[in-house]
Amino acid sequence: MRVNPNPLPDVIAALAQTQQQINTDLQQIASGRSVNVPSDNPSAAAELIHNAGQASEADQFLRSAGSILGEIQNADSTLNSVVTSLRRAISLGVEGANGTLNGADRAALATEVRGIQSQLISLANLTYQGNYVFAGTATQAPPYVADPNSPSGVTYQGNSGVNRVTLGNHFTLQTNLPGVQLFSSSGGDMFQSIQDLINGLDSGTGIGTAVAEVGNASNSIDAQRVFYGNALNQLSAQQTYLSGETTQDLVVAIHKGRLRTMANRPRDGANAGQTIVKDGRVTASGTPTPWMSRCP
């Protein structure tokens, strides 16, 4: 057998390779993960990046859902206030239809209804995070402005569009109803009915008819609140789903990063210097024999 007369370079190279492996093992033991840098396992690193990206996307959808939740809750609460104001106007109209009232009494009632009219304009111009909620898609300008030259006492400046937001793969949610549908629909025109009630109280005629109009408008708005209730239910279900997706992706990312198996590196015995995985964590057992002690 041929004997290498100068084994030192080979021994030094072997020592360097072993030291590098030891350093890698120690890093994996300390972190409990097999992938600490991409070069440890390129395919696993790519999968980790993919899973982390999915978790980040789900988290972004969750943040958007939280913002939309606030908008829908504010819209529903505002519509509740609108209905309350309309019921007060109905009560004033019924009082004004009483034949025993004189002109001054009806004028006082008309003044209060005008205050309700102003309040309704303010409610219809609800904003959330700088956007007008009931303006359709024209969210940068107030949808309703008082207009004494209009038969209804107001002018609508919004449009009939609706806003939608994507909150996950294949899930899009409509977030609003335009004011022209909510407050100005045929047979349920809120502002026209209120203006008719004011005119009736001022003139002493047509009060009963105006009261019925206000009642129709109130019923129409109350019925359309179902849209916001359904949107809240859908949003809540999607938030639950996204929360599960975020947690699952993070668990998968961590799980993929842990050491599952490592090639045994026996030294002087079956378990000497062997790296062992137990309960998803990495431990080392055995005492490797120093290379130099086995060199001639």
Side-chain angles (χ1 to χ4, degrees):
M1 183 175 90
R2 183 177 178 182
V3 178
N4 185 354
N6 186 20
L8 186 59
D10 292 339
V11 171
I12 292 175
L15 282 172
Q17 182 178 2
T18 301
Q19 185 61 53
Q20 181 179 1
Q21 185 60 59
I22 290 173
N23 292 339
T24 299
D25 290 350
L26 289 174
Q27 186 179 21
Q28 292 172 344
I29 291 170
S31 67
R33 298 183 181 186
S34 61
V35 180
N36 290 288
V37 293
S39 60
D40 289 341
N41 188 333
S43 63
E47 190 169 1
L48 282 170
I49 293 171
H50 174 71
N51 288 331
Q54 287 184 318
S56 176
E57 184 180 58
D59 186 60
Q60 183 176 354
F61 285 140
L62 269 175
R63 289 194 297 271
S64 297
S67 175
I68 296 302
L69 176 64
E71 177 181 336
I72 293 176
Q73 287 175 330
N74 272 269
D76 186 60
S77 177
T78 297
L79 293 181
N80 182 63
S81 297
V82 167
V83 170
T84 299
S85 296
L86 291 175
R87 288 173 180 167
R88 175 57 183 164
I90 291 172
S91 178
L92 294 172
V94 170
E95 184 179 351
N98 189 327
T100 63
L101 295 184
N102 57 36
D105 293 332
R106 289 194 305 272
L109 295 175
T111 297
E112 187 171 348
V113 175
R114 286 188 175 89
I116 291 174
Q117 183 184 49
S118 297
Q119 182 182 15
L120 291 172
I121 293 174
S122 178
L123 291 170
N125 287 335
L126 169 71
T127 61
Y128 184 78
Q129 294 184 345
N131 295 317
Y132 289 90
V133 175
F134 300 125
T137 58
T139 60
Q140 298 305 301
Y144 286 97
V145 293
D147 182 0
N149 297 318
S150 169
S152 65
V154 299
T155 296
Y156 181 65
Q157 299 185 132
N159 59 34
S160 59
V162 297
N163 299 307
R164 291 182 171 86
V165 61
T166 299
L167 297 173
N169 294 328
H170 313 296
F171 182 83
T172 301
L173 182 70
Q174 181 180 332
T175 62
N176 75 318
L177 292 176
V180 68
Q181 176 181 334
L182 276 169
F183 309 123
S184 307
S185 61
S186 176
D189 192 323
M190 176 180 75
F191 290 110
Q192 184 64 63
S193 67
I194 288 292
Q195 187 61 51
D196 289 345
L197 181 56
I198 292 171
N199 295 339
L201 290 169
D202 284 340
S203 66
T205 60
I207 298 175
T209 300
V211 168
E213 290 176 11
V214 176
N216 290 337
S218 176
N219 292 337
S220 174
I221 294 169
D222 206 25
Q224 292 186 86
R225 288 182 64 193
V226 172
F227 163 81
Y228 287 98
N230 290 338
L232 286 172
N233 291 336
Q234 293 179 59
L235 189 57
S236 176
Q238 184 65 2
Q239 283 181 305
T240 300
Y241 170 76
L242 289 172
S243 295
E245 283 289 289
T246 301
T247 301
Q248 180 179 352
D249 287 337
L250 288 174
V251 168
V252 168
I254 294 172
H255 184 67
K256 295 284 186 182
R258 292 193 183 283
L259 272 173
R260 311 292 291 177
T261 59
M262 286 186 64
N264 294 338
R265 290 184 278 284
R267 299 293 189 262
D268 292 332
N271 294 323
Q274 182 177 347
T275 302
I276 299 173
V277 178
K278 182 178 181 181
D279 297 328
R281 304 295 295 182
V282 183
T283 59
S285 66
T287 303
T289 302
W291 275 83
M292 289 301 291
S293 68
R294 291 189 278 134
C295 295

